[in-house]
Amino acid sequence: MPLGDHLRELRKRIILACAGIVVGAIGGWFLYLPIYELLQQPVADLQARGINTSLNFSGVGTSFDVALRMAAFVGLLVSSPWWIYQLWAFLSPGLKKNERRWALGVIGAGVPLFAGGIYMAWIALPNTFLLLTQFVPEGQTSSALIDVGTYFKFVIQFLLVFGIAFLLPLILVVLNFLGVVKGITWLKGWRWAVIVIFVLAALATPTADAVTFIMMALPIIALYFLAVGICMLNDRRRAKRAAKEDAELDAALADGPSSGGSSSDTES
């Protein structure tokens, strides 16, 4: 396909993807109030503990700005299957049949993993918010006036970080299938991986209850070892295929001189 056709196809896919995000953002605009009530629940929990906390709309247009950002965030999430498909539709003509299969597998696994990470982040969010604001003195003389824009920016970034963290095992598998890193390399580093996962889980769920952060860390650890297992199986399959190709090549080289010699004898 000529370069001009590629650029026109890219423009078409970008326009379609943006249109889907806009449609999702319009839906998010009408869902602004229930989403706002849901996301400010950690603040309500802090108030229930006796800490005078409230979200502060500091500017004239702050409420409109927050509603616009939240609608855009919801639109981006809701329309993700649509714009991911547009990316796939642009790349698929240049992929081979087996490459298309693996690409579809990556996309199909990435969406539920990302959603699972966001769900786990939502579970950890109240405890994290409590840790960051627990030093506000209780009573009527002290209060925490939190800028609403800063608060929702923190919440959205927190959710996205967990979503991306759940995609890391998938990245390990992709790097292995691309031949960049062998599965044995990931396996040798499992101790450091487990330590890092537990530390991050403990920071995300800062409570005295050890069961909470253990339950947070176990799914990520399970995903890590599942990714390592897939990488090891792929390396074994690749080694068998390489050995088979080497055997076929050796057989072809061994048959070559003998067949040539017999044909010369026949001619003589």
Side-chain angles (χ1 to χ4, degrees):
M1 183 182 295
L3 178 60
D5 293 339
H6 276 293
L7 294 177
R8 281 188 289 271
E9 179 69 14
L10 178 61
R11 181 182 62 183
K12 172 187 173 182
R13 297 302 173 183
I14 291 177
I15 292 175
L16 291 174
C18 292
I21 294 174
V22 170
V23 171
I26 293 174
W29 178 269
F30 289 103
L31 295 175
Y32 165 64
L33 288 179
I35 293 175
Y36 175 87
E37 292 296 328
L38 181 65
L39 294 183
Q40 62 89 40
Q41 188 59 42
V43 179
D45 294 340
L46 204 64
Q47 292 173 346
R49 292 175 176 266
I51 299 177
N52 190 12
T53 309
S54 62
L55 295 177
N56 182 29
F57 292 82
S58 57
V60 176
T62 302
S63 59
F64 176 78
D65 181 63
V66 170
L68 197 63
R69 291 188 181 187
M70 195 175 299
F73 176 69
V74 172
L76 189 66
L77 290 182
V78 171
S79 64
S80 58
W82 172 253
W83 54 260
I84 288 175
Y85 169 75
Q86 298 304 322
L87 176 63
W88 162 254
F90 176 73
L91 296 176
S92 60
L95 299 177
K96 299 179 182 179
K97 185 177 180 179
N98 61 333
E99 292 174 338
R100 293 180 185 179
R101 184 173 67 251
W102 288 118
L104 281 175
V106 170
I107 295 174
V111 173
L113 284 175
F114 184 75
I118 290 180
Y119 176 73
M120 297 299 291
W122 178 250
I123 295 176
L125 179 61
N127 291 325
T128 303
F129 186 72
L130 175 62
L131 172 68
L132 298 176
T133 55
Q134 66 179 344
F135 299 103
V136 177
E138 298 183 6
Q140 299 297 324
T141 58
S142 301
S143 61
L145 299 178
I146 304 173
D147 181 73
V148 66
T150 303
Y151 171 76
F152 283 111
K153 181 181 178 181
F154 164 75
V155 171
I156 290 173
Q157 289 179 346
F158 188 80
L159 297 177
L160 290 178
V161 165
F162 263 73
I164 295 173
F166 268 59
L167 291 176
L168 291 179
L170 185 62
I171 295 175
L172 302 185
V173 174
V174 171
L175 291 175
N176 176 260
F177 275 77
L178 292 176
V180 178
V181 183
K182 291 185 177 296
I184 190 63
T185 303
W186 301 130
L187 184 61
K188 289 180 178 179
W190 72 268
R191 294 178 179 85
W192 284 106
V194 170
I195 292 174
V196 171
I197 291 171
F198 268 108
V199 170
L200 293 178
L203 292 176
T205 56
T207 62
D209 184 10
V211 177
T212 304
F213 82 87
I214 291 177
M215 294 302 294
M216 284 288 296
L218 288 180
I220 303 178
I221 294 175
L223 289 174
Y224 176 83
F225 282 105
L226 177 61
V228 171
I230 294 174
C231 293
M232 297 291 289
L233 290 176
N234 180 59
D235 289 340
R236 182 179 300 178
R237 178 186 60 84
R238 187 177 294 169
K240 289 182 178 180
R241 186 175 60 184
K244 182 179 179 181
E245 292 176 353
D246 291 341
E248 291 176 352
L249 180 60
D250 292 340
L253 293 176
D255 293 341
S258 60
S259 61
S262 61
S263 62
S264 62
D265 294 339
T266 303
E267 292 177 358
S268 61

